[in-house]
Each structure stands twice: as C-alpha cells, then as structure tokens.
Amino acid sequence: MSGVLGSSIRRREDPALITGSGKYTDDFTLPNMAVAGIVRSPYAHAKVVGIDTRAAAALPGVVAVYTAKDVEASGIPGTIPTAWLLPDIKTPEHPILAKEFVRFSGAAVAVVVAEDRYIAADAMELVEVDYEPLPAVTDPREATQEGAVQIFEEAPNNISFDWELGDEAKAAEAFDHAPRKVELRLRNNRLIPHAIEPRAALADFDESSGKLTLRLTSQNPHVHRLLMSLASVGLPEHKMRIIAPEVGGGFGSKIHHYADEAIVSFCSMQLHRPVKWTATRSETNLTDAHGRDHVSIAELAMDDEGKILGLRATTWAAMGAYISTFAPAVPTYLYGTLLSGQYDIPAIHIHVYGTFTTTAPVDAYRGAGRPEATFLVERLVDLGARECGLDPAEFRRRNFVAPDNFPYQTQVALAYDSGNYEPALDLALDKIGYADLRRQQAERRNGGGKLLGIGLASYIEACGLAPSAVVGSLGAQAGLWESSTVRVHPTGSVTVFTGSSTQGQGHETTFAQIVAEKLGIDMDQVEVVHGDTDQVQFGMGTYGSRSAAVGGSALAEGLDKVIEKGRKIAAHLLEAAEEDVVFEDNNFSVRGVPDSQTGWGDVVLQAYLAHNLPEGIEPGLEFTTFYDPSNFVYPFGTHICVVEIDPETGKVEIARYLAVDDCGNVINPMIVDGQIHGGVVQGIGQALWEECVYDEHGQLLTGTLLDYAIPRAHNLPHLELDRTVTPCPHNPLGVKGIGEAGSIASPAAVTNAVVDALSHLGVRHLDMPLTPEKVWRAIQDSSQEGRS
Amino acid sequence: MFPAKFTYHRAASVQQALELLAAHDDAKLLAGGHSLIPMMKLRLAQPPAVIDIGRIAELSGISRDDGSIRIGALTCHADLAASELLRQECPLIAEAAATVADPQVRNKGTIGGNIAHADPASDLPAPLVACDATIHLLTADGSREVVASDFFVGLLTTALGEKEVITHLSVPAQTIGTGSAYLKVEHPASGYAVCGAAAAVTVREDGTCAAAALCFNGITDSALNARAVAGALVGSSLDDDAIDAAVDGHLTADDPLGDVYASGEYRLHLAKVQGKRALKLARDRARG
C-alpha cells in the first residue's frame, strides 16, 4: 500500500484501549495468586534498629512477611544495579529491602504477602520498625557543602561523580576577553513522572520448570530481564520471561529497574505462588524515579555584535538516595553534550556534580537531560540578547549554525548531522505574527492591564538512542541498537517482532505502516508483537525518542531482506535474471516485460513449499535484524509562547502556543502531532505548575494529586503546530524522534515568555514553576526597587 | 481502595439514620462520598461504621419555603448550579456550586456533605455565610437551627453533633436591588479555592449601599467573614474608590492559611484583589 507512510492512519490499538478491553499488568489474576504490600520508610534517613514482623505474620490471611534478612538468607543477589557507569562513579549497594539504613522516604523495608489487598494493607500497619532518625539533605548543592549529613561513607561530600566536558581553558579565555557577559543561577525543578498506570508487577515462579514469569510495567522488558538476572534474583535469563502487557504511559519512569519487581519475584520464588503488587498513587509518587532537579550557575560570553563567544556552567544534579538504572547518563551525556543548542559556540565547558540526596532516585524522565540543557541555553540566550540590546529572535539568528556548516562538530562531543534552523524560526515568527505582538506588548506596557510576554525556544535534541560504540565509550553497560524479526507467513500475511515495546506511542500502527508501505500489503495483514522476552528477540526498548529512528530502521532493513529473498525466488520462478526483477505494488515483475510477473502470494507460498527454490536458497521467509545507528538523530525547531499576566495576582495565562518542529520524514502525522501535544503540555506543566517538594526532614510535601499539579485540559491553550522537514541523512527512513521534543522546548519557551513580560520591570529570571505568588512577588520586588 | 475494616449500613429514612447513629459510636454518615471516601482510602479516617444516607429522597431537592429557599442536604453541586430557583433567588450559591471541582464531583458531592466536612478551601461555606443561610439539624431528641456563621467553627470542625443529621439549609431569597458574585482562584492540583471571594451588595435607588457582605474561602481555617469591610461599605456610594478603600482599610485575617503553593501573605493579598473584584461585579449586577 504505497502512500501509507506519511498518512494519518487512526491508531489500531485504540479501540481496545478506549473500550476497556486492553489488559494491563494489574488486570491479570492467576490461580492461587497472593498479593504483596510493601512496607515503606516514613523517614527520609534513619538507622533501622529492628523490625518486628510477628504481629503482621500472625494476622489471618497473611502468607508471609519478609525483610532484608530473608533476602540474604535466600542467597539471591538482592540488589538493584546501575547500568551506566562514569569514571570514578560511586554506586553504593542498593539492596531490594533496606538493611541497616533507609535513605529516602518510601524506601522498602519489608514486604507482606497476603491473600488479598485488604489483609495486606492491614498487615502492613502491624509491621513494627524501630527507626533511629538521621538528618536529611534534599538539595543537590547543599548536599555537597560542609556540615551536610553524609549519606554513604564511600561517597565523601555526597558526591557520586564529578564530570566535565569541553575545554575549560578555552572557555576561560573566551570569558576573559569577552566585552559582554551574563550570568544565570537557576534551579530546574524536580518532577514526578505520573504515568496514568501506576507501576505493577506480577511474578509467577514455576517450581517444576524453575522458570519465573514476570508481568511488568516495563518500557524495556529485555533490559529488565538482564538486570534482574544479573543483580536481583539470580536466575539465568533463559529461566526468566518478562512480559510487558499494555503499559499505560511511562515517560521514562518504567525504563528503570526498581526494588519492587525484584521483591515480588523473590516472594514468588520463596512461596511458589504467583504474587502481585500494584503501586498506589501515593507509592508511585514516593518511589518512581523523579526527573530534573538541577541547581546550576551558567554564563554566556558575547562580543558587541551579539556573537556568542563562550558558554560555561556548573551543575549540581540530584541523584537521590541511590544511583538508578540510567541516572548517571542523564545530567552528563544527555545534558552536557546539548549545551551548544542550535548555536555555533566556539568554547564550552560544563562541570557536573552528581550528588546523593535523601530523596527518591532521579533518572530519565521525558527529555532526560535535554530539557535541562535547553532551558539553560535558551534562558542564557534571552539574557544575552538583552545584554546586547538585540531582539531575542535576531540574537538567535546571528548565532545559529549556518546550513552550509553541517555536519557540525560542537565543542561538547556531538556532531550534528543535519539541520537548517533559520527556516523553522522564520516560519514560527511569521505564523505567530511576531512584529505585531511586539507592538501590542509595547502598547500594553504603556496602557496598563495585563502584561504581554513572548518567549522563544529554539531547541535541538540528540535522540534516536544510540550508536552502541559511542555510548559504550561513554559508560553505557549495554548497546543501544534495536532489533526486528519479520516473519512472513505462508499465506503472505506478516508478523513483525520488535524489541521496541510501546507504552502508548502507537507502534502497532506506525510499524504496520512501514510494513504495508514496503511490502505493498494491507495493514490488516500485519501484526506487530512486542513486549515479551519469550516471543521477541533481545531488544533495547522504548525511550530516548528511539522507536522510529532505531526500531523502525531495524524493521525497514528486515523488510529489505525479505524483498531481496523474494526477488531471488521470483527471478527463479520467472526464469529471469535476478537483477531484472523489480518489486512494486506487491508484485514481482521483470523489468520491461510487463506480462512476466508473479504475485507476492505466489512467491511467499513457494518460499514455504520449497518445491521449486533456486539453488542455495533455504526455505522460509523470515529475517532478524539488529540495527545499530551510525549517529544520534537531531530533531530541532522553534517554539513560541505568548503569555498574559495579571499584574495584581501574578497569574500567568498562556494566550498562544506555537510549535514548529523538524523531525525529518513523518510516518504518521497524527501520531507526531499527538506526541508534540503531549510533550508541550508536559513541559508547560513543568513551567507553570509541577514541582516535587520535600521539606527539610525529607518528607514529600507533594505526594498526592491534591498537592502536585499536573496539567489539566481547561488550563491549556489550543496548540498551533507546524513543521519543516529535513530528513535524517543516515537512517533508511529519514526519520528522527519526536517523543520528547515538546517537553524539551516548552519549559524554556514559557519561562522566556513570562520573564519577557516582566523584563521592563527589571526581572531577569524566575525559577519554575512560575506560580502566581512567585510572579506577583517578582512584580512587587521590582516596583519596590523602583520606588527606593 | 483498601480502607480499614468497617460495617456498612444503609438508611432508608432520616429516622432510620438517626437510629443507626444512636446504635453505632463514631459512625460516619456517607452522602456523596467525595470527602469521606478519599480520607478512608488513605486510612486517615477509619470509622468503624459507615451509614449511607445517600438514597434518602426526602433529603434532596430545592424548593421555595415562604421567603426563603429550602435546600435539602443531599442536593448535589450540579443541581445547585443548575437550579433556576437558586439562580433567581440566591444566585451566589448557584455560582459557587458551579466552581466546585469537576463535573463528576459536582454530580456526586452534596451540599450537606460539603459543609459537614468543612474544608476551609471548599467553595460553599463563604457564600452560605454571606447569604445568611441557616443549617437545620436533627437528632433523636429534636431539631435545632444554626446560622452558617456559627456553624463553621474551625479547620474541618463544625457545630454538628456526633449524633446529628443535617436535613436541609434555608437561605433567604435576596432582596430587590441585590447583586452577588463568587470569584475563585483555584489550586491547580486540587481545584480547591486558594481564594474564593463571595460578595453580595444591596443598592438603594440612589445608588448607595444598603447592605453588604464579603466572605472568603481558602484564607483562614474556616470561612472568613469580612464584617468590617461590609460595615464600611453600608451607606457608601459603592463606586470603585469606595470599594477599594473599604477593602484596603478593613480587610484583615488572623493566621491566614499557607502552603507550598500559596503563602498566607499572598492569600491575604489575593483576598484583597479578589474581594474588590467580587464587590464591583456584585455592584454592577445589583445595578443591572
């Protein structure tokens, strides 16, 4: 079906999901199943003096109560590993159940297994843990200061890693001689992911086969199996099957390996019964790996014409109480490498401290490092423009990497393969009516009433994670290729198995579109299978905006292999030379001989009948492909946000939001638009409402949806979308990623707009979230300064 | 949800509800469930018995009762918001009810449950105080009436006795020349009022103020009745300057509520801004 690629085909997975027949982990009930309730520390930091489980164990209906001692006695490894290591990084042991200390509020200390959840909840209240509370530290910079409580003996000053990128001397030289400089101190607010489906795990250990089947809310079941096997439960991989059924959103939070799935697996292995655990929303908020949480000091150096001469920054990135799965990569290789933005910056240096805090771990969350980088760069750029007396659009234009300068080697390791930034900026300025908005803004400032602000964010991201050798040299303990198996059935329909499993991205539609386009068959002849380690060859999973660029490429190459073998068989059947056989519209034909053709069905059937195959061709039609990208992909774009601010209350309203994105070729425009909608909204949430707040004792103050504000439809504007298309030059589909772009651009666009609205009052920067009180105080402070 | 163990009882009549209350110590009445159930889910409330009064028909509905409007305790927020009678005779309550949470909550949550819970940031207390509503309570021994300003005692605390049932509220129909307004700044997570300003003014034919009320949700631990502001307004011209002066000069609050989202100082500032806006809107409506 040519023309399928690039069409807004409705998502095939939706009818099941929206009518409630999709099966999520918690929907599975197995015979003889028990449930687990995990007893969690109420303290952020404490010594565990003793645990008395007797009363809980004695409650009728309680099957077992386990603590760290039971895990140790079982002989399993019982730990949660880190899968990305940096030089000299400290990764203290993370036991699945706390041993001598708890280091964040919500840390698992015991597990109750009971016949039902009511009994489990009652029994959890009966587990008596004797804690000796210790001081907490929740701020990533304060954690490194003198006097801060030491969380691990082996990590002095609570520093897990101390990482640098770029040329410090070159940057210093640029700053020494620059006529214009700006400095920015910022905090990138800590976020709680909030997938709609809370995390859940259902472990079923079969005594006779010695095999563990684990249904899990996972973005990467094979990676989970590998980590579980090596560090947690100690079963060999062939004795473990991990299934990710329908998964209701992840945003990164379901990449990571948590204690909980290891705990239920341990319980099932002990009891030889299926054991299920489903997080409550409160547990989710306490224990899902959080996102962001940076404190940074950043500077930009410029000449008098507004040309950027250098950028340097120091960042303290909270890691939380333990180093989560991919956490070390987030504030380093997914952050420091992006600090050139869309700009030609001759000198850059970044210094990052990854620090322990007595909080939930921090790891990848939609955008992972790149929103933090974009926020820092785009805020600096706005300040730089102001310093130089230039319009922020003009300042950006003067500093863009020129289109004839690609591939462009940045000062922070990445080589941008392609890009053309000015057309995206121009399109955005034109569509928003930029000049007119600036006129309106000036009028409003003179006339009173609501303040108008216009904010730009020109972003770049490196996604399509990732070339394996490159990430290997940077510390990844795995390759980041992706796999596909294309299985053509004897009657011509196709099942594809992808290692990239979905949490709502629409793989079952977009991957089928790729197959339909390539083979010329109907989409209903295509089944997409994912998320099951027993069905699917090893795969790396879905994150880092990689599914289309890496998983899709693995599929495209697999389909090429199918077509290639088909041509060989067709040439044999048609008694033609192989090089003369072309495959078009689901038909093999001989070039220039229109009558000499054979259909897809005949060729496929022959592959399986094997009655008449060319010499040396084995029967069957199935290929497995492992595709390793040669580079990251580099989507880019410009977003513009227009805000109106009530100066009396400080309330910010988004009047307009425009996104111009370039994600290369588009497989399904509707799905791409949906990803942009979701990403932009998530970023608006970070900018205006969301903040995970711990008090000085390390207690989570925003632990429920009554306190932690996620975006609501009635608080959001209509989103205006447009795009430019600059195909990726190095993958077979010319696609880039789009899953994270929105959340990368929008925090900066919104914040720039709010600061822009207040700039005439002397406001230079505000940290997110831009709550009405914060904005009101900024207005108050500036008017007081004006009076004095 | 996985609450602590409790027994469930359904009352078919108010009389039966009173009997069940008498028989079960520390029992909780269940109406729409939108305050009680979340507390039980988090095990913050662990009542040994729950008495479901949600299906007692006689407790529901809005009707005219001489010079006042009678609102049954089980009337849901959506019905308050949609009531033509309330919109004509006591629009402040309808306007406030329309701002409660979201449609699902408005369809289930009841006025009786709302005031019995007495969350300081919910939307109905301030309008009820501003409108001089009376709350009618029933026990096995008889009935009594409490005016709204005496009913709300403090944080999640009311004059309601442990064995009492709220049967209905009565609200005086507003007099000719009266206008009212409820202006709410909602918390972006909970939807509760960070500041909910309920204003009502009655204007004489010459345009001066005959009566005024200004009350707030979300500012103090129970509805804040700004009597001094109202006192300063009576007899005034009700022009913008008069309203600004009355609010700036007379609005105070002891121990304003504060949290991560909005400090007490900011809430008090909001109360001034929103109080002025609500009074001006009420005045414009009064003048038609």
Side-chain angles (χ1 to χ4, degrees), chain A residues 122 646 648-649 712 773 776, chain B residues 43 186 189 263 266 269 277:
Chain A
D122 290 344
D646 180 339
E648 285 191 292
T649 64
R712 312 284 167 102
E773 176 163 4
W776 172 71
Chain B
R43 296 194 170 205
E186 67 169 23
S263 68
Y266 176 68
H269 165 74
R277 290 177 180 176

Side-chain angles (χ1 to χ4, degrees), chain A residues 296-567:
Chain A
S296 293
I297 300 172
E299 297 169 277
L300 194 69
M302 297 143 291
D303 67 16
D304 286 321
E305 278 68 52
K307 175 76 189 71
I308 300 172
L309 302 175
L311 183 154
R312 63 184 174 191
T314 304
T315 292
W316 291 262
M319 290 287 103
Y322 297 99
I323 305 300
S324 179
T325 314
F326 289 114
V330 177
T332 55
Y333 291 105
L334 295 174
Y335 169 72
T337 54
L338 271 296
L339 290 176
S340 200
Q342 294 189 356
Y343 311 107
D344 180 15
I345 304 180
I348 302 178
H349 180 254
I350 171 71
H351 194 163
V352 179
Y353 299 95
T355 71
F356 290 106
T357 51
T358 54
T359 64
V362 177
D363 204 330
Y365 170 59
R366 199 172 194 171
R370 290 151 290 171
E372 297 93 307
T374 301
F375 188 80
L376 184 138
V377 171
E378 290 301 286
R379 288 267 48 244
L380 276 178
V381 163
D382 259 28
L383 287 176
R386 207 149 120 193
E387 171 69 20
C388 297
L390 290 171
D391 181 274
E394 174 58 23
F395 185 85
R396 283 172 171 80
R397 198 186 297 281
R398 287 188 189 184
N399 286 289
F400 281 155
V401 175
D404 56 5
N405 217 350
F406 289 93
Y408 173 78
Q409 178 62 51
T410 69
Q411 297 299 305
V412 274
L414 293 180
Y416 299 165
D417 58 10
S418 60
N420 195 1
Y421 304 140
E422 222 172 332
L425 174 71
D426 286 335
L427 181 59
L429 294 174
D430 181 50
K431 292 208 78 147
I432 204 87
Y434 188 67
D436 189 49
L437 281 171
R438 286 286 174 210
R439 269 195 299 277
Q440 281 183 42
Q441 182 182 43
E443 283 166 23
R444 295 262 194 111
R445 282 176 179 174
N446 296 326
K450 286 193 177 174
L451 299 167
L452 190 69
I454 307 139
L456 279 68
S458 296
Y459 75 95
I460 182 157
E461 62 158 321
C463 61
L465 307 179
S468 298
V470 174
V471 294
S473 71
L474 303 179
Q477 303 297 295
L480 287 175
W481 43 264
E482 194 48 272
S483 67
S484 74
T485 292
V486 180
R487 179 175 299 161
V488 183
H489 302 292
T491 51
S493 65
V494 177
T495 301
V496 297
F497 301 80
T498 174
S500 174
S501 74
T502 168
Q503 313 95 55
Q505 291 86 352
H507 292 37
E508 289 162 34
T509 302
T510 50
F511 280 39
Q513 283 180 265
I514 296 170
V515 177
E517 176 83 21
K518 282 262 190 190
L519 298 183
I521 60 177
D522 285 339
M523 279 177 67
D524 60 16
Q525 295 294 299
V526 185
E527 184 80 1
V528 180
V529 176
H530 58 85
D532 181 345
T533 59
D534 264 14
Q535 285 199 71
V536 181
Q537 68 292 338
F538 203 102
M540 298 310 300
T542 293
Y543 43 82
S545 302
R546 67 190 305 274
S547 290
V550 191
S553 295
L555 177 56
E557 290 201 343
L559 292 164
D560 285 342
K561 292 176 190 172
V562 165
I563 293 166
E564 202 46 41
K565 182 168 177 180
R567 285 176 62 238

